[in-house]
Amino acid sequence: MRNRTLLNGFMFISTMLMINNSFAETVSLEYKGFYDRLKQVNKQNFPLVELAFSVPMTPDCMIKSGSITTEKEQYPLTYTKQQRIFIPYDAQLKSDRALVNIHVIGDASKCAIAMQVRAKEAKQSYTQTELLALTADMNRLLDGLQGFPMKYFRNPINGLTFEFDKMQNDNEKVKLVIDNVESMVSETYPLTLEKINQLQQISFSQKPDIVSPLVTK
């Protein structure tokens, strides 16, 4: 397992669960690893943010199908066209030593599963109060994932990143309005905490697909 921090959306504060099976098209991971992370989130109330798992959309990592299996049962694995996978929070699955199986088209050794903190529901416009509440919730969740005493060595997030769905964005640009001042942004827009503290309202011509933490060194 390795930790990696990037400056734009998809892999923010992401824990990569590397797949070591060099040639197999089916990857099986212990459910316990997912459960332990979800448990940290479920121990507290986070009304604005959630923990999301996904498989990067690369030629070697296109999901064909998936399942969650125990010795006696098999359940379908739900995932989206963006390859976000939905893992249930179920103590029985942990007790039964369940496996999360992902069947990919390509070279499974080049695949990974990313864990990301993101907003539960992206909005097309935000007030400053809403943005600050979102960053506060993200910081609290990240502190819980770090655990004691590592949370005291983690820098607070530096703002938010807004990502837009390329398939909805034919012109590859999105109109941004901050306090009646218009500009154009591309697929990813980083909004620093400094800018958040200076604005009153922000809106986009297209609702963001993902809102996640902005982290800089």
Side-chain angles (χ1 to χ4, degrees):
M1 184 184 299
R2 61 176 178 172
N3 293 326
R4 191 164 123 190
T5 301
L6 301 185
L7 300 183
N8 53 14
F10 183 67
M11 304 298 285
F12 273 123
I13 316 297
S14 41
T15 299
M16 303 296 293
L17 306 177
M18 298 307 297
I19 297 164
N20 296 317
N21 196 339
S22 298
F23 302 103
E25 293 184 352
T26 300
V27 178
S28 295
L29 299 170
E30 291 185 355
Y31 171 78
K32 179 181 182 298
F34 296 97
Y35 179 87
D36 289 344
R37 288 160 176 80
L38 291 171
K39 183 178 180 180
Q40 294 294 321
V41 177
N42 281 271
K43 285 196 304 184
Q44 299 185 56
N45 179 35
F46 299 102
L48 303 177
V49 299
E50 63 184 350
L51 198 60
F53 300 97
S54 55
V55 177
M57 295 184 67
T58 65
D60 285 307
C61 299
M62 302 307 296
I63 298 178
K64 181 179 180 181
S65 62
S67 63
I68 300 175
T69 57
T70 66
E71 288 186 0
K72 298 180 179 180
E73 301 287 344
Q74 177 171 316
Y75 310 93
L77 179 67
T78 302
Y79 59 94
T80 67
K81 64 181 180 180
Q82 291 82 16
Q83 302 203 151
R84 176 180 176 181
I85 60 175
F86 292 90
I87 306 295
Y89 179 60
D90 190 326
Q92 188 61 50
L93 287 175
K94 179 186 177 183
S95 178
D96 291 342
R97 299 182 179 181
L99 295 175
V100 176
N101 310 291
I102 302 172
H103 313 295
V104 298
I105 299 173
D107 183 354
S109 67
K110 298 179 181 179
C111 295
I113 293 181
M115 182 180 73
Q116 182 187 49
V117 173
R118 61 174 66 172
K120 285 183 178 179
E121 182 179 357
K123 299 173 56 178
Q124 200 162 340
S125 65
Y126 291 88
T127 64
Q128 182 193 73
T129 299
E130 291 172 326
L131 294 169
L132 291 174
L134 189 55
T135 57
D137 234 20
M138 288 180 176
N139 270 317
R140 288 199 307 116
L141 194 156
L142 287 167
D143 282 343
L145 291 174
Q146 291 286 331
F148 179 85
M150 289 305 296
K151 68 179 181 179
Y152 296 107
F153 297 93
R154 182 185 71 81
N155 292 326
I157 64 175
N158 299 104
L160 300 168
T161 295
F162 299 84
E163 293 183 63
F164 301 92
D165 189 343
K166 290 184 290 185
M167 290 181 283
Q168 295 182 23
N169 185 15
D170 295 333
N171 297 322
E172 298 184 355
K173 291 288 184 179
V174 174
K175 184 171 74 172
L176 163 69
V177 181
I178 298 180
D179 296 339
N180 298 319
V181 178
E182 296 184 6
S183 61
M184 302 298 291
V185 298
S186 57
E187 296 170 14
T188 303
Y189 175 67
L191 180 66
T192 65
L193 190 58
E194 180 181 5
K195 289 182 180 178
I196 291 174
N197 285 319
Q198 293 172 352
L199 63 78
Q200 293 182 345
Q201 185 160 3
I202 184 173
S203 63
F204 304 94
S205 59
Q206 175 184 321
K207 186 171 76 170
D209 190 45
I210 297 173
V211 182
S212 58
L214 173 65
V215 179
T216 57
K217 294 181 179 179

